Amino acid sequence: MTTFVRTRDGRTLAVDERGEPEGSPVFLLHGTPGSRVGPSPRATVLYRLGVRLITYDRPGYGLSDRRIGRNVADVAEDMAAIADALGIGSFAVLGRSGGAPHALACAALLPERTTRVAALVPLAPRGAEGLDWFKGMSVSNVDEYTAAALGHSAVTALLSPAVEEIRADPTRLVPAFDHELPESDRHIVADFGIRTMLARNFAEAVRHSADGWVDDALAFNAPWGFDPGTITVPTLLWHGDEDVFSPVGHAHWLGRRIPGARVVIQQGAAHFGALHVMPDIMTWLAAV
C-alpha cells in the first residue's frame, strides 16, 4: 500500500512499506531513474531479517511532487518528514546507485537519527579533488552528465526520448544498455524476474514526466550541499570493480574521505551486483 506524506513546504511524497512492521526500520533509496517499487529483497527475506523496509519516490519521480532546484542535501528534510509521519525516531539508510549520494546526505545531516548508512555503487561529488570523475564510465552516462552540466534544457532534451520509449514499452530501457554491460551484469539482468522488476521500476519512475531523472542528473553535477568528510555514523561502501555506470574509483574516493568508512570492493562484480548483496547489507544495517 502506498501512503502519502506532506512536507513542510506543502509537497507530497509517495511512500511504501514492506517487511516486518515491528522490525528495524531501514530506508532504501532508489537509483536513477527509479521509484519506490524498485529492486529490493522479497517480503519473506525482509521478515527473516527483521527489517521494516521503507521506500519512497524522490521528488519528481512516480507519485511524488517535484522539488525544483533540489540538491542532494535536500533529501534529509524529506526523510525526516517521512520518519516523523511514520512514527520512526532512528533508522538505517541504504542507497543504491543514484540513491547512494542521498543516503550519505542523511548520514551527514541527520546523524542523531541515522544509525548506519550503506552506499552501494555510489557516485562521488562532481569535481571531487584528485578523482577523474568520468574515467571508466559508460558513454550513455558520460553523455547524460555532460548534458546536465549544460543545464536543464540540455539534459531534458537528451532524456525525453528515453522517457517516451519507456512509456511505450517499459522493458525497452532494461536491455538498451546491454552492449555496455560487463559480463557479470549481463548475467544478472538476463534473469527474467530482475528484468521484470526493473521494467516496473522504470515505468513508475517516469509515469508522469522526466522531472525526477532530470533533477537527479542536475543535482549530481552541482554541489551536494554537504561534505562526506563530516559523516560520523558507521558507513559501508560497496562496489563492483567492473562497474561502468558509477566507476569503482568513486567508492575509493569516498572511502578516503569518510572517516572510518568500510570499503568493500568485489572483484568480478559490476553495477547490478548490488542487487545480490542487498540482503547481506541489510543484515548489517539492522544489527544495531
Side-chain angles (χ1 to χ4, degrees), residues 161-221:
V163 168
E164 293 307 313
E165 288 186 6
I166 295 170
R167 286 181 179 160
D169 179 4
T171 65
R172 292 188 65 179
L173 186 62
V174 180
F177 302 122
D178 274 5
H179 65 284
E180 296 181 320
L181 294 181
E183 182 60 32
S184 62
D185 270 354
R186 283 200 195 99
H187 179 73
I188 292 171
V189 178
D191 180 88
F192 177 77
I194 288 179
R195 291 176 90 89
T196 301
M197 185 166 45
L198 289 172
R200 178 181 176 225
N201 175 48
F202 295 146
E204 182 64 18
V206 300
R207 68 149 60 194
H208 292 304
S209 71
D211 289 345
W213 195 353
V214 167
D215 292 346
D216 264 1
L218 293 171
F220 297 145
N221 272 272

Side-chain angles (χ1 to χ4, degrees), residues 8 69 85 92 105 136 141 161 182 195 200 202 236 242 244:
R8 286 193 300 177
N141 273 19
R195 291 176 90 89
R200 178 181 176 225
F202 295 146
L236 173 63
E242 296 182 356
V244 297

Side-chain angles (χ1 to χ4, degrees), residues 28 32 57 77 98 118 134 144 151 154 184 190-191 195 202 208 215 224 254:
L28 172 59
T32 301
D57 296 332
E77 184 178 329
F134 286 120
E144 178 179 330
S184 62
D191 180 88
R195 291 176 90 89
F202 295 146
H208 292 304
D215 292 346
W224 282 7
L254 289 166

Side-chain angles (χ1 to χ4, degrees), residues 133-158:
W133 207 79
F134 286 120
K135 184 178 180 180
M137 189 177 289
S138 66
V139 172
S140 60
N141 273 19
V142 171
D143 289 346
E144 178 179 330
Y145 294 127
T146 300
L150 298 176
H152 182 275
S153 297
V155 71
T156 299
L158 177 71

Side-chain angles (χ1 to χ4, degrees), residues 15-21 23-29 40-41 46 49-56 79 82 86 88 90-95 115-118 278-279 281-288:
V15 182
D16 281 7
E17 290 190 73
R18 293 185 289 280
E20 171 55 64
S24 299
V26 176
F27 278 86
L28 172 59
L29 307 187
S40 67
L46 296 172
L49 297 176
V51 168
R52 176 186 179 185
L53 189 68
I54 304 105
T55 61
Y56 79 102
M79 289 273 288
I82 295 170
L86 298 181
I88 298 172
S90 60
F91 46 81
V93 187
L94 189 162
T115 56
R116 291 183 172 185
V117 63
M278 206 177 288
I281 300 294
M282 287 190 180
T283 298
W284 178 79
L285 289 169
V288 179

